Amino acid sequence: MNSWITRRVTAAFGAAVLTGAFVAGCGSSGSSNNSSNPLTGGGGQATGSIVVGSDNFLESVLLADIYGQALQAKGYKVSYKLNIASREVTYGLLKSGTITLKPEYNGALLAYLDSLAKKTTPQTSTDQVDAAIASELAPNLEVLQPAQAQDNDTLTLSKQAAAKYHMTASSSIADFVTALNGANVSIGAAAEFQTRYQGILGLEQAYGLKASQITFKSLDAGGTLTETALSQGAVDAGDLFTTDPTITQNGLVTLTDPKNIFGLQNVLPLVNKSALSSTGVDALNAVDAKLDSKTLLDLDVKTQVQKQDPAAVATAWLKSVGLV
């Protein structure tokens, strides 16, 4: 298996050429794919090749490794295109067949699909969210069984901002907006946070934070840049994920979200309908049946804090639950 360093270099190269050759198809970071059409499947036997992709943050890479290895154990030929970009790019790659499977979060996926349809769907239950996704997905795509594991976006405050505005773990986003009293606030997150309801639009529309108050700093999707900026007080607030160990380690304060702009965020696979046989579907469902939020946090600590190779972490966990 390739090292994490090699896999990241390959992924970074793919991201650099997304506007050209990559979208048409490029070499994977895993074993080569000899089929011109990776979307094979249909019967009960695990046949064909699967190209597993991920968004450009470490937890997505970890989940891609978990799903890919579970399928490989059932006889699929699996290759990887990891750490590509945000959903705005990877969803298109999945529709086109450049990748055939990627880990997703149901609430965030629905919000993205809603943005394409210029609508907002209330997110009241997992079943409701998944049904809405199914009605809005591209015809060749589907989501499989969701895991119990959730990893929500958040609005998290630096230690300094929390102290300045007297915010605690029980404080809400509404409390923070009230405490600002029209003052400027710096927010660090991935660039797409500016245009998502699960971001600046939701803060404006649901909580009344005015655009004129916000100084936005484009960082990353809950990754090292955002973690560092918050930990050093370089921004007042940022978008970190609920499973990020940095929050407790560095005394950051995550605000509650009573208006639920960040929605439900159950982990689940998004796949091309023709990519998997029933054997493959069962393999992925078995993964999600074992994956809860505590487990996901434990795995994130291994990759994000202890800096272990996500592929090795995936292998160890799958073995521990009897799936490889």
Side-chain angles (χ1 to χ4, degrees), residues 183-306:
N184 185 271
V185 58
S186 57
I187 299 177
E192 57 268 19
F193 192 78
Q194 298 177 89
T195 57
R196 292 177 175 176
Y197 185 77
Q198 291 170 306
I200 299 298
L201 294 185
L203 294 174
E204 292 174 348
Q205 296 173 21
Y207 289 105
L209 183 63
K210 296 178 180 178
S212 59
Q213 293 177 250
I214 301 170
T215 300
F216 186 81
K217 296 187 178 181
S218 182
L219 299 173
D220 57 12
T224 303
L225 294 177
T226 305
E227 292 168 347
T228 301
L230 281 168
S231 298
Q232 295 180 352
V235 294
D236 299 317
D239 175 26
L240 294 184
F241 304 126
T242 52
T243 56
D244 191 332
T246 303
I247 295 172
T248 54
Q249 288 177 337
N250 292 337
L252 308 179
V253 174
T254 293
L255 300 171
T256 65
D257 176 25
K259 296 185 182 294
N260 203 33
I261 65 170
F262 294 121
L264 299 167
Q265 299 297 349
N266 295 87
V267 172
L268 77 177
L270 176 60
V271 303
N272 190 287
K273 286 182 178 180
S274 61
L276 299 172
S277 67
S278 59
T279 299
V281 172
D282 289 345
L284 295 178
N285 286 343
V287 168
D288 284 334
K290 299 283 189 180
L291 191 62
D292 58 26
S293 296
K294 181 183 182 304
T295 298
L296 185 57
L297 176 57
D298 290 342
L299 298 176
D300 283 339
V301 169
K302 293 179 188 298
T303 56
Q304 297 177 30
V305 178
Q306 300 173 5

Side-chain angles (χ1 to χ4, degrees), residues 12-34:
F13 173 78
V17 295
L18 274 171
T19 56
F22 181 78
V23 175
C26 72
S28 75
S29 60
S31 57
S32 61
N33 179 3
N34 294 325

Side-chain angles (χ1 to χ4, degrees), residues 119-150:
K119 60 186 285 191
T120 300
T121 304
Q123 298 187 11
T124 57
S125 72
T126 299
D127 288 344
Q128 176 267 333
V129 169
D130 292 350
I133 289 171
S135 71
E136 295 185 42
L137 275 177
N140 62 329
L141 304 181
E142 66 178 340
V143 291
L144 301 183
Q145 174 181 301
Q148 290 184 0
Q150 291 198 53

Side-chain angles (χ1 to χ4, degrees), residues 136-195:
E136 295 185 42
L137 275 177
N140 62 329
L141 304 181
E142 66 178 340
V143 291
L144 301 183
Q145 174 181 301
Q148 290 184 0
Q150 291 198 53
D151 189 1
N152 292 65
D153 292 86
T154 68
L155 188 69
T156 294
L157 301 182
S158 69
K159 193 173 182 178
Q160 297 88 334
K164 179 178 179 180
Y165 293 104
H166 308 289
M167 296 291 109
T168 68
S170 62
S171 300
S172 69
I173 298 173
D175 294 331
F176 180 57
V177 172
T178 299
L180 284 171
N181 193 28
N184 185 271
V185 58
S186 57
I187 299 177
E192 57 268 19
F193 192 78
Q194 298 177 89
T195 57

